[in-house]
Amino acid sequence: HIDLPDESIVKIAILVTLSDDYLADKSERKINRVWDIFAKSFGKSKDDYQSVEVTEILQDEDPFKEKQNVFAIDLTSFGKIEPKKEKDLDFGLRLLQNNQNILLIDDSMQDKQNVKNLGSGIEFNEVEEYLDDAYKYIKSLAETKRFEVLRDQKDENYNQRKLEEEEANTEKENHVVSAQEIIEKEEGETTQDNDSDTIQVNSEELQPISNSENDNVITNTSDYPEEDSETEELEYEEEPEYYNEYDLENLKQKLLDNLDYYIPQYNLEELDNENEELELESEDYQRLHQATLNALNNKTEQANKKLDVLRNKAINNLYRELTGDLAKRYFEIEALYNYTVEGSEFNNIYQQLNNNLSEAQKNINIQADEKEKIKKQKHEKDKEIYLNNLLKKESARYDEENFPKIKEEVENFKQTSNDDVDNRYEEQMDLLREDIDRTVT
């Protein structure tokens, strides 16, 4: 049987019925009698011979539709047919779909270079060859279709996964914008210059982090150029072959960018009293006012620097801890692809597949040996029948060529012998007459 991609099953069956040539010169009574004999002989399952009558379920266009009895048999049962009945039978091949429908094998199911009429008129000694050819070609069509279905499913899954990732990235971008707006609202002032200065300080302070467990996976983050994220995404979309967003270094860079972005940048507002109009124009008061402003501004600047140091330290600590966890999880996931290594998570399935393959190949060898044995037995039987038939034909031909020679030789012998006897008789008679004449004289 052959498994199709739509999970249906087809089997190739051999149909057998009486040939038109065998029925041509028989009377109606004789025809009914031979059909009864045929139905009893081929419709009774016994030993390894199994048959199913399919006359009623044949399609209207089936060449055997008008036959009184048609039986479907398998290859084993086909080998049980007696040689003396071969010339009286007509054979055809059909597809049995899900053990219900009998379908014709049309041109689309055959090799274009060897298209044959497999519906009827197949000689007994051609059935196995045509059956094998049809099976191999239909099997290859099914495997090709199954590959196409799997490929389409894979493409569909890939497109669906890509769509989900794009939606997730869109949601993340929207979330980032809203978070930034909230931070800007709370902080009151975050200018473009201050942002660039902060990013520069973070990149300088977050140099390679020393961690004895993860030295082999942590690199200098300042090696990565600081560009706008939208520009990077556009460049990666234009050149996908040079970028893998799931590479460990890219994941680490994303981790650093996220930590830098989502940890707020707190800033104490600087006092802006430079343009205030002083109510008192006392020179001493103005000096005191200016000294107070300078002191407050210095304290604000020192506090902002301390906040930056604390923020960078927090990012540094989180990055150190999360990078180790990221690398560990990354290599754990990467290890899943090493399914051939003993002890990996999917190695059992891989080993099972290999065992199944070995078992299948072993079964194929066993079946091939059994088939070879059956075919050899059939070959010896066919050879014996062939030799007997050949002996009969040669014997008849020899008789036809040599029997006339025997008659001819016997006739020649008779003729020659009679001639000799007659000659001797005449000679003796002549002697007798001479003796009589001599005696009388």
Side-chain angles (χ1 to χ4, degrees):
H1 72 270
I2 302 172
D3 296 322
L4 300 181
D6 60 358
E7 298 183 356
S8 62
I9 298 175
V10 295
K11 301 177 181 178
I12 302 182
I14 303 171
L15 264 57
V16 57
T17 186
L18 292 176
S19 66
D20 293 335
D21 293 340
Y22 178 67
L23 300 172
D25 57 349
K26 292 179 174 54
S27 63
E28 183 177 354
R29 181 177 179 182
K30 180 68 173 177
I31 290 175
N32 291 333
R33 184 168 178 273
V34 296
W35 275 119
D36 290 340
I37 296 173
F38 171 75
K40 290 178 181 179
S41 299
F42 286 84
K44 183 178 180 181
S45 299
K46 55 183 178 180
D47 298 331
D48 293 335
Y49 179 83
Q50 302 292 327
S51 70
V52 178
E53 186 168 5
V54 296
T55 312
E56 299 298 327
I57 60 174
L58 294 176
Q59 296 177 326
D60 293 338
E61 64 271 17
D62 197 293
F64 288 166
K65 182 65 176 178
E66 302 302 323
K67 296 289 186 177
Q68 185 171 328
N69 297 101
V70 182
F71 294 97
I73 60 177
D74 58 11
L75 192 57
T76 303
S77 303
F78 173 76
K80 300 291 182 180
I81 296 177
E82 298 178 6
K84 62 182 180 180
K85 297 181 179 179
E86 296 172 4
K87 64 181 186 305
D88 303 335
L89 303 176
D90 192 0
F91 297 95
L93 300 181
R94 300 292 187 278
L95 289 180
L96 177 61
Q97 185 181 36
N98 294 330
N99 294 327
Q100 294 178 349
N101 301 323
I102 298 289
L103 307 176
L104 289 168
I105 301 178
D106 57 21
D107 295 351
S108 65
M109 302 178 191
Q110 299 183 57
D111 188 350
K112 298 300 182 291
Q113 297 179 352
N114 300 298
V115 175
K116 307 176 183 67
N117 178 22
L118 302 181
S120 62
I122 302 178
E123 298 292 337
F124 179 84
N125 56 0
E126 297 176 333
V127 171
E128 290 189 50
E129 178 185 354
Y130 288 174
L131 177 66
D132 189 53
D133 291 344
Y135 171 79
K136 290 179 179 177
Y137 192 76
I138 296 175
K139 181 78 171 178
S140 67
L141 289 179
E143 292 298 330
T144 302
K145 187 63 177 177
R146 181 177 293 105
F147 172 78
E148 292 175 353
V149 170
L150 291 176
R151 183 190 60 193
D152 294 342
Q153 290 177 351
K154 185 177 180 181
D155 292 343
E156 183 179 353
N157 292 338
Y158 173 78
N159 293 333
Q160 181 65 25
R161 188 168 63 251
K162 187 175 181 181
L163 180 61
E164 291 174 355
E165 290 176 356
E166 291 176 353
E167 292 176 353
N169 291 334
T170 303
E171 292 177 359
K172 181 178 176 181
E173 289 174 1
N174 294 335
H175 177 69
V176 168
V177 171
S178 61
Q180 180 66 20
E181 290 174 352
I182 292 173
I183 292 172
E184 291 178 353
K185 183 178 180 181
E186 291 178 351
E187 294 299 329
E189 61 178 294
T190 50
T191 62
Q192 183 176 359
D193 293 337
N194 289 337
D195 288 342
S196 62
D197 292 340
T198 304
I199 294 174
Q200 185 176 358
V201 172
N202 292 341
S203 299
E204 291 175 354
E205 293 189 2
L206 289 176
Q207 294 297 324
I209 303 168
S210 176
N211 189 331
S212 59
E213 296 179 358
N214 302 302
D215 285 343
N216 60 330
V217 296
I218 299 175
T219 59
N220 190 338
T221 58
S222 64
D223 292 339
Y224 294 91
E226 298 173 2
E227 298 178 358
D228 184 72
S229 60
E230 294 182 359
T231 304
E232 289 180 357
E233 290 179 1
L234 290 175
E235 290 179 356
Y236 293 143
E237 289 177 0
E238 291 174 358
E239 299 180 356
E241 62 274 21
Y242 301 111
Y243 174 69
N244 178 10
E245 62 176 329
Y246 298 113
D247 181 76
L248 179 58
E249 297 305 322
N250 291 324
L251 292 174
K252 289 187 340 187
Q253 183 63 38
K254 284 187 176 183
L255 170 61
L256 179 60
D257 293 342
N258 283 320
L259 288 175
D260 181 71
Y261 194 84
Y262 283 108
I263 294 180
Q265 297 182 3
Y266 292 105
N267 241 338
L268 296 178
E269 297 180 359
E270 295 184 2
L271 299 178
D272 188 13
N273 297 320
E274 298 291 340
N275 298 322
E276 286 188 13
E277 294 183 2
L278 300 178
E279 296 179 0
L280 298 177
E281 297 182 359
S282 171
E283 196 172 317
D284 291 336
Y285 177 76
Q286 291 179 357
R287 284 199 302 269
L288 177 62
H289 182 267
Q290 187 62 44
T292 303
L293 288 179
N294 292 338
L296 289 175
N297 289 335
N298 289 336
K299 283 291 184 181
T300 300
E301 184 178 356
Q302 291 174 4
N304 285 336
K305 288 182 179 180
K306 186 175 181 179
L307 286 175
D308 280 341
V309 171
L310 292 175
R311 179 178 180 275
N312 292 332
K313 184 177 180 181
I315 292 176
N316 198 11
N317 291 336
L318 286 174
Y319 182 76
R320 179 186 294 110
E321 181 178 354
L322 293 179
T323 302
D325 186 50
L326 171 65
K328 179 181 177 183
R329 293 175 64 184
Y330 178 85
F331 288 114
E332 286 177 352
I333 292 173
E334 190 176 50
L336 296 179
Y337 292 98
N338 296 328
Y339 51 84
T340 58
V341 178
E342 186 175 358
S344 63
E345 182 173 344
F346 293 98
N347 181 254
N348 291 336
I349 299 176
Y350 172 72
Q351 294 295 342
Q352 185 62 42
L353 291 176
N354 282 341
N355 293 338
N356 292 345
L357 176 62
S358 299
E359 187 66 24
Q361 291 174 341
K362 181 180 178 182
N363 290 336
I364 289 174
N365 292 332
I366 294 174
Q367 293 174 7
D369 293 341
E370 185 66 23
K371 188 170 185 178
E372 182 181 8
K373 181 179 178 182
I374 294 173
K375 285 187 172 293
K376 284 183 177 179
Q377 292 176 351
K378 184 178 181 301
H379 169 76
E380 293 298 328
K381 187 175 181 180
D382 291 344
K383 183 174 71 172
E384 182 180 357
I385 295 171
Y386 171 76
L387 292 176
N388 290 336
N389 292 336
L390 184 63
L391 179 61
K392 292 178 181 179
K393 291 180 181 179
E394 290 298 319
S395 176
R397 184 182 64 81
Y398 187 82
D399 290 344
E400 183 179 355
E401 292 178 356
N402 291 283
F403 264 131
K405 294 180 181 179
I406 294 174
K407 284 189 175 183
E408 183 180 353
E409 290 176 357
V410 170
E411 290 297 327
N412 290 336
F413 173 78
K414 287 171 63 178
Q415 183 66 36
T416 304
S417 299
N418 285 331
D419 290 342
D420 290 342
V421 170
D422 289 342
N423 291 333
R424 291 179 63 187
Y425 175 78
E426 290 298 329
E427 289 176 357
Q428 294 293 329
M429 289 300 295
D430 290 340
L431 290 175
L432 176 60
R433 292 189 187 96
E434 288 180 0
D435 287 344
I436 292 174
D437 289 340
R438 189 178 301 111
T439 301
V440 171
T441 303

